[in-house]
Amino acid sequence: MEENHWETFRGIDFGVAGEFKVKVEDEEARNRTDSTTFGLHQCVYTVGPVESQKMVKKGSLGNQISKEQFVFLASLNKHPNAFFVENYYMDGDGIGCLVVESLNGRFQSWLNYQVDTKNKQPSAPTLFTADGRMLPTLRTIILSLCSFVEHVLEKRWYPRHLTMDDLYLKMMNNQPTLKVLMSDVIQGTTPTRIASVWNHVKEIITHCCTLDNATLSGGSSSFYDFIGRQSKRVPLETYPDAWSYADKSAYLLLIMQEEMVMMKRYVQASGIVWPTEDGLIQPMLQLILDHDKTSTYDTDVPWDYIRLCRNVNKKFDVPKSVKAVIKDHIGFLKKMEEWTPMIWANLYETIGPLSLRR
């Protein structure tokens, strides 16, 4: 390790009391995926008798890192996607520097590697499926970014320019974990500022799509549109873009188990109506209605449509002519999506996840 400097600095009473030493490698650290540099330096960080491998984020004359910035960044340390900041010191030139956790590289470098892998092996998509669905690893990274942004906004801080340069990855249990280092943050939030931050998040997703030449499909497109509108009651994590048919089946049952007056109101508010064709109820639905001798349904009431869907999904008591077409309850769920492509998104955004957890 080439020695850039080896000096003793005194802690500023945040997490570390007393003296610590930082021995910084002269050359910048390199991304694991492509060996390009990514703006941090390897270092040996010593506190008392304990020596560990960390990294250093150096400021510059044009982009100073202040003690106040350090205190803010360190206040985010408890969030799992925060760039964990260990300490702060001034180097020999009077430039502020951060001692931070060791990382594997930039998010951008990882994206480049994934796209390059896909180009070499087209049968192994890594970011999006061929039909535009976001794959689990990328979706988890985006959810992590959204969770971190929510955390910062709750503290009433405004990240003015959230970009790809703020995003890093750390491999944990052989999975990439997002780490965010905010570079331009000021105090105070307003509705306009909050909307601006979520637009930055969407720009990052759009960048991923452009890089992979992908167009978001219906479910992933709805997920994208919902970003910034999520809440504690209706979170982003359980959004239906990633639901299996078992989840969808369970969701119909959960709706029926809730307080009926409230659920009727929610279903009405969701905008869902009975599917029609040429002004009449869908022929397959009409066959099911005519076949059912035990229940009655009002085709002007959206709640009754969801009730019918639950009953068919649960019992699959349908005419033979219908069974010949859709085979089983999953076939019926697919028909629901064909008739109303946004049905799960509309229900979820109005009702929330209920007790459905992933």
Side-chain angles (χ1 to χ4, degrees), residues 58-127:
K58 295 182 176 182
S60 65
L61 289 175
N63 188 19
Q64 290 279 2
I65 299 174
S66 67
K67 289 182 180 180
E68 289 73 22
Q69 285 176 291
F70 160 67
V71 171
F72 162 70
L73 292 170
S75 74
L76 303 176
N77 277 349
K78 290 184 179 180
H79 193 280
N81 302 109
F83 202 112
F84 196 92
V85 179
E86 299 273 358
N87 222 316
Y88 174 87
Y89 68 93
M90 304 286 285
D91 70 10
D93 297 319
I95 301 296
C97 302
L98 299 172
V99 181
V100 300
E101 64 180 313
S102 292
L103 301 173
N104 296 110
R106 288 193 184 277
F107 177 45
Q108 179 66 66
S109 176
W110 179 84
L111 287 174
N112 293 341
Y113 176 78
Q114 301 305 314
V115 171
D116 185 56
T117 299
K118 177 183 175 181
N119 290 337
K120 293 176 181 177
Q121 301 175 2
S123 62
T126 51
L127 299 178

Side-chain angles (χ1 to χ4, degrees), residues 210-252:
T210 301
L211 198 64
D212 200 28
N213 196 28
T215 301
L216 292 177
S217 68
S220 289
S221 179
S222 298
F223 172 83
Y224 172 94
D225 290 339
F226 191 59
I227 289 174
R229 295 189 286 122
Q230 69 270 29
S231 64
K232 293 189 183 299
R233 188 181 74 82
V234 188
L236 195 59
E237 289 79 3
T238 45
Y239 200 80
D241 65 304
W243 285 1
S244 66
Y245 280 106
D247 293 327
K248 295 167 184 177
S249 179
Y251 194 65
L252 288 174

Side-chain angles (χ1 to χ4, degrees), residues 55-220:
M55 287 185 168
V56 165
K57 171 70 174 177
K58 295 182 176 182
S60 65
L61 289 175
N63 188 19
Q64 290 279 2
I65 299 174
S66 67
K67 289 182 180 180
E68 289 73 22
Q69 285 176 291
F70 160 67
V71 171
F72 162 70
L73 292 170
S75 74
L76 303 176
N77 277 349
K78 290 184 179 180
H79 193 280
N81 302 109
F83 202 112
F84 196 92
V85 179
E86 299 273 358
N87 222 316
Y88 174 87
Y89 68 93
M90 304 286 285
D91 70 10
D93 297 319
I95 301 296
C97 302
L98 299 172
V99 181
V100 300
E101 64 180 313
S102 292
L103 301 173
N104 296 110
R106 288 193 184 277
F107 177 45
Q108 179 66 66
S109 176
W110 179 84
L111 287 174
N112 293 341
Y113 176 78
Q114 301 305 314
V115 171
D116 185 56
T117 299
K118 177 183 175 181
N119 290 337
K120 293 176 181 177
Q121 301 175 2
S123 62
T126 51
L127 299 178
F128 301 91
T129 61
D131 62 352
R133 287 180 290 114
M134 195 180 297
L135 286 169
T137 300
L138 179 59
R139 188 179 188 274
T140 298
I141 289 172
I142 296 302
L143 285 173
S144 297
L145 176 59
C146 292
S147 173
F148 182 79
V149 167
E150 287 175 357
H151 183 66
V152 173
L153 292 175
E154 285 172 0
K155 290 178 172 287
R156 302 192 62 78
W157 285 88
Y158 169 48
R160 290 191 293 187
H161 300 103
L162 179 63
T163 70
M164 291 294 295
D165 288 342
D166 298 316
L167 309 183
Y168 299 79
L169 290 180
K170 181 172 186 173
M171 296 302 294
M172 301 177 69
N173 299 319
N174 293 320
Q175 291 295 318
T177 298
L178 184 72
K179 294 289 181 175
V180 186
L181 179 63
M182 296 290 190
S183 58
D184 187 6
V185 183
I186 60 175
Q187 280 189 309
T189 56
T190 65
T192 300
R193 287 180 171 184
I194 291 171
S196 173
V197 178
W198 290 119
N199 283 336
H200 290 323
V201 172
K202 290 182 175 181
E203 287 169 3
I204 288 168
I205 298 174
T206 299
H207 174 73
C208 296
C209 291
T210 301
L211 198 64
D212 200 28
N213 196 28
T215 301
L216 292 177
S217 68
S220 289

Side-chain angles (χ1 to χ4, degrees), residues 5 10 13 19 46 196-197 241 253-254 257-258 266 292 304-305 326 335 351 355:
H5 58 261
R10 190 165 298 278
D13 197 29
E19 293 185 341
T46 305
S196 173
V197 178
D241 65 304
L253 295 175
L254 288 169
Q257 291 169 6
E258 294 292 318
Y266 279 146
D292 191 338
D304 277 11
Y305 174 56
I326 60 176
K335 275 294 179 183
I351 298 172
S355 59

Side-chain angles (χ1 to χ4, degrees), residues 245 248 332-341 343-344:
Y245 280 106
K248 295 167 184 177
F332 183 73
L333 292 172
K334 290 179 179 179
K335 275 294 179 183
M336 289 173 60
E337 295 168 344
E338 179 184 320
W339 295 327
T340 312
I343 187 166
W344 306 115

